[in-house]
Amino acid sequence: MHTVESFPYEVRVTENVFIPMRDGARLAARVWRPVTEEALPAVFEYIPYRKRDLTRARDSMNHPYLAGHGYVTVRVDLRGSGDSDGVLLDEYLATEHDDACDVIAWLAAQPWCDGNVGMMGISWGGFNSLQVAAHRPPALKAIVSASATEDLYVDNMHYMGGCLLSDNLSEATVMFAFNSLPPDPAIVGDRWREMWYERLEGSGLWIEKWLEHQRRDDYWKRASVNEDYSAVQCPVLAVGGWADGYTNAIFRLLEHLDVPRRGLIGPWGHKYPHLGVPGPAIGFLQEMVRWWDHWLKGRDTGIMDEPMLRAWMQDSIPPHPSYADRPGRWVGEPCWPSPNVEPRRFTLGRHSLSEDLDAEESRNLRLQSPLSVGMFAGKWASYAATPDLPSDQRDEDGGSLVFETEALDDTFEVLGLPTLELEISADRPNAMVAARLSDVAPNGEATRVTYGLLNLTHRDGSAAPEPLEIGRVYRVRVPLNGIAHSFPPGHRIRLSVSSSYWPLAWPSPEQVVLTVTTGRSALTLPHRPPRADDDQLRPFDPPEAAPEAPATHIEPGEHHWKVERDLASGVSTLEIENDQGTISLDDTDTIVRRATTEWFSFRGNDVTSVRGETRTLRRLERDDWRTEVTTHTVLRCTPEEFVLDAQLDAFELEDPQTDPRTVRKRVYSQNWQRRSPRDFV
C-alpha cells in the first residue's frame, strides 16, 4: 500500500456536522472538503460502525483520498449509531432509507456541492447504496456497492439455500456489541449518557428477529432490490471478492439491471479492494476516482469502454486456511451472461465425474455424514481475520460422497455459477445437502474452489418450504457460489456431497440418510476457455490511500482458529478468537478495546448437541468518560426449536488511577431467554 500525502486539492476535515432529518432528528457526519471556492460533487458513506472511533482508521485512508481528488466526502452514522440521534432497531428499515434520502438532499443543497451526489460503501454501506438507489433520490447520480447483495435472504449472512448459517449468530453478535456502545460526549455533550441508556434499553436482540423469519417472506423482500431491478435508475459499480460471501449478486446485477453498470471481482475477502486480502490488492481508490469523474463530473475517463465484468481468474494453489496472495490473472467479459462461457455437463458415476458417462448407468449411493464434516470449512465469508479460509478438503471428504474426473489433459477454466442437479431421496422429512467443488493436485491435496447448500424442504423455493416425502426421489438443483478458477493439466476436478456442513450451516433436526442416484445426477460447470485478448486488459494501478489515522498500540491482540476434540466426552469445538487488542486513537485521545470470541461445538453425531456461543468486550475511554460493554449469546436447538440465551452488561469504569478491569460500576444489565420454532430449518 502506497500512502499518498499530497493531492490535487488540499483537504480540510470537519470532525462533526449534524444533518437534520425530516422528523427533527439529527445524524452525525464527518466531512472532508477540498479547499476551493468551486462547488464540487459530494460522495457519502452511510453505516452504523462509528465514524468517531471504530472506522476512523479506514475512513482516514479513503475519504481524504477522494476529497483530495475533488469530491466533498461525508461519513454518516446511521440513526441510533455512533453520535447520531435515536435507536437502531434492525437492518435496512424504511427510516434508514428515508434518512439517506434526506442526507442526499441536504448535501445537494449545500453551497459547496454542485448538486451531484454519489453513494459508496462496503457490506452494510454496499447494501444501502443499492437500496437507496432504488428510491431514486434526484441528486443521486451513481453508486459504488462493495461486498453486498440485492437479495437479503438468498445471499446474505443469515440463510443460504434455506439453511441457517452460523454467520447469522456472528453478525447478530457484531450488532449486539455495536448497538450497545455510547455516543461520544465530545460530540453530543452531556446528553451522552441519556442517549446510551436509550440504546441499551431499546435496540433489542436482533438474532431473535432473524430467527422469526426462516423463509423468504416479506421481512426479507421489503429491502431486496431484486424484487424490482428497474427501480434502480443510476449507474452501478458492483464489487466483490471470491473469498467473500457476496459475489453471486454481482452476476445477477450485471444480468438484470438496465443501467450503465460494471462488475469487479478479485481474490479478496470482505475488504475494499485496495485493502484486499488475499491479494493482490489493487488501486481501487483510483478506480473510484475514475468512476466518480465519469458520472459526477462528466469526464470521459474510459471506464465505460472497458469490459462489463473484470474478474480474477485464480490459479491452482495448495490448500491453506490463510493466503497473503492468490496467484492468477485478470480476465474480462463484455457482458453477462457472456457468450464466451459455455456450460459443460459432468454426469455423476459411482465415484466419477464424466462428460461421456451413459445416462442409463445409474446406482443408488447412501450417505450419512458425520457432524465433523465442515469443521475445516472456514467462514461463510472471509473477513480477513485469517485463518478463516477452508483447509485441505481431505479432512472433510471422508464423510462425503466423492465424485472425481480423470486427470485433466488440458487446462480447464471456469467463470460463473456452477450448478449441481441431483436425483435424491431422504429417510426424514427435513434434510439438507452440501456440495463442494475442489481442485485435486497429483499429490492428493484438495483445495476447495466453491460450494453450495440446499435445504431440501426449500427445493421449490424458500417462500413456501414443504417437507420431504420419505423415500421419494426428487430432482433438485443445488446452486454453487460463483467462482473463477483454472484447473491445470494433471489435476482432477472433485465434487463432494455431504448431508451436513457444521458449523458453517446449522444441521437438520434429525440425523438423515440421503440416497443419491448416479447416472441421472450431473454437475454443470461454466467453462471459459483462455482468451488472448485478456492480455490486453488495462492493468490496475498499485493500491494507494491517504495516511491512516495515527494510533498507539497499548496491548497486542490475538487471532486464532482452533479445532479441539475431547475424546472422553466426544465434544468437538471450533474456537475463533478475534482480539484486536487495545489502541489509543492519537488525534482524539480515545482508548479503544475490542475483543470477540466464538465457539461452535457438537457431541458425537448428535445433531441436537450443536451449540454456538459468542462473547464480546468493547471499551471506550478518555479522561473521565470510561465505558465498557460485554455481551454473551448462546444458540442451541432441539428437533423442534432454536433456544436462545443472551446477556448484555454495561459498565462505567470508576477510578482512572485504578486498573479498569477490576474497578467498574454496572449501569445496565439485561438477560434474554427465547425459543423460536424451527420452520423447516
Side-chain angles (χ1 to χ4, degrees), residues 369-380:
S369 300
L371 276 176
S372 58
V373 174
M375 290 298 279
F376 300 96
K379 271 285 190 183
W380 170 80

Side-chain angles (χ1 to χ4, degrees), residues 242-300:
W242 298 128
D244 198 5
Y246 293 108
T247 50
N248 299 337
I250 296 174
F251 294 107
R252 294 194 298 268
L253 289 168
L254 295 181
E255 179 176 0
H256 296 295
L257 289 178
D258 189 21
V259 296
R261 59 205 183 276
R262 290 294 180 266
L264 172 64
I265 309 175
W268 321 294
H270 202 68
K271 293 282 188 181
Y272 275 123
H274 58 296
L275 306 171
V277 178
I282 65 167
F284 182 63
L285 292 177
Q286 297 97 301
E287 293 301 303
M288 280 209 286
V289 169
R290 295 178 70 220
W291 179 259
W292 299 130
D293 280 356
H294 186 99
W295 293 112
L296 301 187
K297 293 183 177 179
R299 298 175 179 171
D300 184 5

Side-chain angles (χ1 to χ4, degrees), residues 376-496:
F376 300 96
K379 271 285 190 183
W380 170 80
S382 173
Y383 298 96
T386 52
D388 61 359
L389 298 171
S391 301
D392 192 329
Q393 295 301 283
R394 290 178 294 184
D395 291 324
E396 312 278 26
D397 285 342
S400 311
L401 291 179
V402 174
F403 308 91
E404 194 170 275
T405 66
E406 296 294 328
L408 299 172
D409 294 326
D410 301 300
T411 297
F412 188 93
E413 296 191 345
V414 296
L415 171 62
L417 299 155
T419 59
L420 174 62
E421 293 176 72
L422 288 176
E423 285 205 357
I424 194 168
S425 63
D427 68 345
R428 296 290 185 271
N430 193 333
M432 67 166 285
V433 62
R436 292 173 282 115
L437 187 68
S438 297
D439 178 343
V440 183
N443 66 358
E445 291 181 331
T447 301
R448 197 187 74 191
V449 173
T450 186
Y451 73 99
L453 306 176
L454 178 64
N455 178 340
L456 292 173
T457 69
H458 290 235
R459 61 197 176 275
D460 296 320
S462 292
E466 295 182 349
L468 297 164
E469 182 181 330
I470 294 174
R472 177 182 170 183
V473 177
Y474 296 91
R475 189 162 189 84
V476 303
R477 179 178 178 273
V478 185
L480 276 64
N481 290 329
I483 197 63
H485 185 84
S486 181
F487 295 88
H491 286 224
R492 300 170 186 263
I493 301 172
R494 175 181 293 174
L495 172 71
S496 306

Side-chain angles (χ1 to χ4, degrees), residues 21 50-51 79 191 241 292 353 363 383 411 478 536 544 554 577 602 611 636:
M21 300 294 101
R50 302 181 59 90
K51 65 176 177 58
R79 182 187 296 243
R191 66 191 185 109
W292 299 130
L353 284 175
R363 66 178 67 225
Y383 298 96
T411 297
V478 185
Q536 307 305 313
E544 294 182 349
I554 299 172
E577 179 75 23
F602 66 93
R611 172 188 172 101
R636 300 174 287 115

